[in-house]
Amino acid sequence: MLHVFTANIDIVPFVVSFSNHVSSFSFQVPVLRPMDLMVEATPRRIFSNAHTYHINSISVNSDYETYMSTDDLRINLWNLEITNRSFNIVDIKPANMEELTEVITAAEFHPNQCNTFVYSSSKGSIRLCDMRTSALCDNHSKLFEEPEDPSNRSFFSEIISSISDVKFSHSGRYLMTRDYLTVKVWDINMESKPLETYQVHDYLRSKLCSLVLMTGSYNNFFRMFDRNTKRDVTLEASRENSKPRAILKPRKVCVGGKRRKDEISVDSLDFSKKILHTAWHPNENIIAVAATNNLYIFQDKVN
């Protein structure tokens, strides 16, 4: 097993006298002192004058020469070697801010086609753009949007339809989007409706009156779906479950009626604990889950 350690090097002076000389010579010899491992991150480049508003997403292009950064109203294209200048490729800021009806929530480059990217909006739409069409991609090539059922429309319809994240599949054929209640899978060749829809926490639908200002998943829960079997599982990221080789146990939320021993009542959920970001290893079954100020890394069962 490889052990990693760091050490402080203290310079300890001492004096050696020589009888053949009148003066003494002072030598400094380094001494190793063990200490705890410390990791520091330092920026290699700082890209200035990037955005006026908060940046909500960054995506590196497949050409490995450029990347884009996104805020609520604009998307900028950067060269990795040029830190003081970018090119604006999407701008939805109206001349009169009172006419603003939606904002950009996320954006990502296509994994294989360096000229293609998508961005999502607070209105629940996803726009696919081609940078070969024009320098400013305000006119999209494709629009992915699911028509709303009028019978299901409510006061919260616009709030829960806002897309918080969008990702391409590794092949670039499919898009995955997350809104307030669901995860949807889209085929980029079919704009009318998603291929698949997965309910993340539909049990919160009746609690929307108290969750208008809240986002993300709560009680440090995160969910995983199997597209083939349609099975799903709810897991919890917490300090109690973060011991090495500890196996995560599925969690269930009880909406009403008699609650089983292994279930948690929807009224007992802690809305101050929420999963805001997750990432899956591209080749292995390893996931990272960010829960407020903690980062958890989970791995598939290891022998």
Side-chain angles (χ1 to χ4, degrees):
M1 181 178 294
L2 178 64
H3 295 277
V4 180
F5 69 94
T6 59
N8 278 337
I9 300 179
D10 293 342
I11 305 300
V12 180
F14 65 94
V15 177
V16 178
S17 298
F18 296 91
S19 58
N20 295 334
H21 299 274
V22 177
S23 59
S24 299
F25 296 92
S26 177
F27 295 92
Q28 292 184 334
V29 178
V31 178
L32 293 177
R33 299 185 186 279
M35 61 175 292
D36 294 334
L37 175 65
M38 292 187 299
V39 179
E40 291 185 358
T42 56
R44 299 180 62 181
R45 296 183 181 90
I46 297 179
F47 296 84
S48 58
N49 304 319
H51 290 272
T52 304
Y53 306 98
H54 293 298
I55 297 173
N56 56 46
S57 58
I58 292 178
S59 179
V60 179
N61 202 346
S62 59
D63 61 10
Y64 297 108
E65 295 181 358
T66 58
Y67 75 93
M68 65 179 176
S69 56
T70 309
D71 66 23
D72 288 352
L73 301 177
R74 294 186 176 97
I75 300 177
N76 293 335
L77 181 67
W78 299 79
N79 187 295
L80 291 171
E81 301 299 327
I82 302 175
T83 60
N84 60 352
R85 186 173 69 255
S86 63
F87 299 95
N88 181 230
I89 55 177
V90 173
D91 188 347
I92 66 169
K93 183 178 181 180
N96 184 1
M97 287 296 287
E98 293 182 357
E99 300 174 358
L100 184 67
T101 59
E102 64 179 332
V103 295
I104 302 171
T105 56
E108 186 177 63
F109 269 118
H110 191 282
N112 305 316
Q113 301 172 10
C114 61
N115 55 283
T116 305
F117 68 93
V118 294
Y119 69 91
S120 57
S121 80
S122 58
K123 275 193 163 183
S125 60
I126 308 104
R127 294 173 172 85
L128 186 143
C129 302
D130 190 338
M131 292 190 293
R132 297 173 300 183
T133 305
S134 62
L136 192 62
C137 300
D138 287 348
N139 295 321
H140 51 269
S141 301
K142 292 184 178 183
L143 176 65
F144 302 87
E145 198 170 44
E146 185 176 20
E148 184 183 15
D149 185 352
S151 62
N152 293 332
R153 183 164 183 81
S154 68
F155 173 79
F156 304 102
S157 294
E158 291 189 7
I159 298 174
I160 64 177
S161 65
S162 178
I163 296 175
S164 58
D165 201 7
V166 57
K167 296 291 183 184
F168 273 105
S169 64
H170 294 312
S171 65
R173 172 68 184 272
Y174 303 101
L175 285 169
M176 282 142 287
T177 62
R178 169 68 197 272
D179 58 38
Y180 188 81
L181 293 176
T182 65
V183 171
K184 296 176 181 177
V185 179
W186 300 78
D187 188 328
I188 63 171
N189 296 323
M190 186 174 71
E191 304 172 53
S192 58
K193 62 179 181 179
L195 283 178
E196 304 161 9
T197 300
Y198 299 93
Q199 298 293 333
V200 178
H201 43 210
D202 194 55
Y203 48 77
L204 294 181
R205 189 178 294 273
S206 62
K207 302 291 182 179
L208 290 177
C209 289
S210 58
L211 297 179
V212 173
L213 300 179
M214 308 292 284
T215 60
S217 299
Y218 304 98
N219 212 78
N220 283 359
F221 285 171
F222 62 98
R223 303 198 66 189
M224 304 175 71
F225 302 90
D226 189 318
R227 296 179 61 190
N228 295 323
T229 64
K230 304 299 180 182
R231 292 187 301 177
D232 61 84
V233 63
T234 301
L235 301 172
E236 180 182 4
S238 65
R239 290 183 177 273
E240 291 75 15
N241 299 329
S242 61
K243 297 179 181 179
R245 297 184 179 275
I247 298 177
L248 294 181
K249 296 181 179 180
R251 302 301 304 270
K252 292 184 179 180
V253 177
C254 175
V255 179
K258 189 175 181 180
R259 181 172 63 89
R260 295 181 180 179
K261 183 179 180 181
D262 58 342
E263 292 181 337
I264 180 172
S265 171
V266 66
D267 296 319
S268 301
L269 296 177
D270 188 347
F271 297 118
S272 64
K273 297 179 181 180
K274 43 196 170 185
I275 304 293
L276 297 180
H277 299 282
T278 62
W280 201 307
H281 192 284
N283 303 318
E284 301 178 18
N285 285 332
I286 300 175
I287 59 173
V289 178
T292 317
N293 60 341
N294 296 310
L295 177 65
Y296 299 92
I297 298 178
F298 300 104
Q299 184 177 7
D300 196 6
K301 189 175 180 181
V302 180
N303 294 329

